[in-house]
Amino acid sequence: MKSLIHFLAAITLAFSSAVFAHVDLKTSVPADKATLAQTPELLSLTFTKEVRLVKVSLKNAQGEAIKFGFKPTKEASLEHSWALPELAPSNYQVDMIFLGQDGHKMKSSVSFVVN
């Protein structure tokens, strides 16, 4: 019985630390699933906790990468943003990989349309 209590305590601790470590994308500009009449000036990502961005890619509907000056960050921050080049009418997807303060690797994505 004592072993079972120790096991359950360890499992509870493991799950509770995973919950506290979880970070989400809070908002993005452009917003996820937005339809825009023109190219947005900025790509802006705001997270629920500070993160270090490892990778952020922007691709059009044909899967072609759009360069916008992303470089991995050394410092953690809640907000990250970049000026965007002129975008042709298309569907776009932003994929990101980021690290929480505990080093936990997470992924997220948003998509938008430029008409």
Side-chain angles (χ1 to χ4, degrees), residues 9 19 21 23 30 63 66 76:
V19 168
V23 179
I66 310 298

Side-chain angles (χ1 to χ4, degrees), residues 9 16 31 45 75 79 97 101 105 109:
S16 66
L45 306 171
E75 299 295 323
E79 298 180 16
I97 299 173
Q101 292 287 40
K105 185 168 120 177
S109 64

Side-chain angles (χ1 to χ4, degrees), residues 51-95:
V51 299
R52 285 185 38 230
L53 289 170
V54 176
K55 182 177 181 181
V56 178
S57 64
L58 173 62
K59 293 182 181 177
N60 63 17
Q62 291 74 36
E64 300 167 331
I66 310 298
K67 293 184 180 184
F68 60 96
F70 169 77
K71 292 181 183 170
T73 57
K74 294 179 182 178
E75 299 295 323
S77 180
L78 287 173
E79 298 180 16
H80 305 266
S81 62
W82 306 266
L84 289 176
E86 187 68 28
L87 299 176
S90 186
N91 293 342
Y92 290 91
Q93 173 128 354
V94 179
D95 293 311

Side-chain angles (χ1 to χ4, degrees), residues 16-25 48-49 51 98 100 102 104-107:
S16 66
S17 63
V19 168
F20 289 121
H22 191 73
V23 179
D24 289 314
L25 179 65
T48 56
K49 295 181 182 177
V51 299
F98 51 96
D102 64 350
H104 186 84
K105 185 168 120 177
M106 293 161 273
K107 297 179 181 181

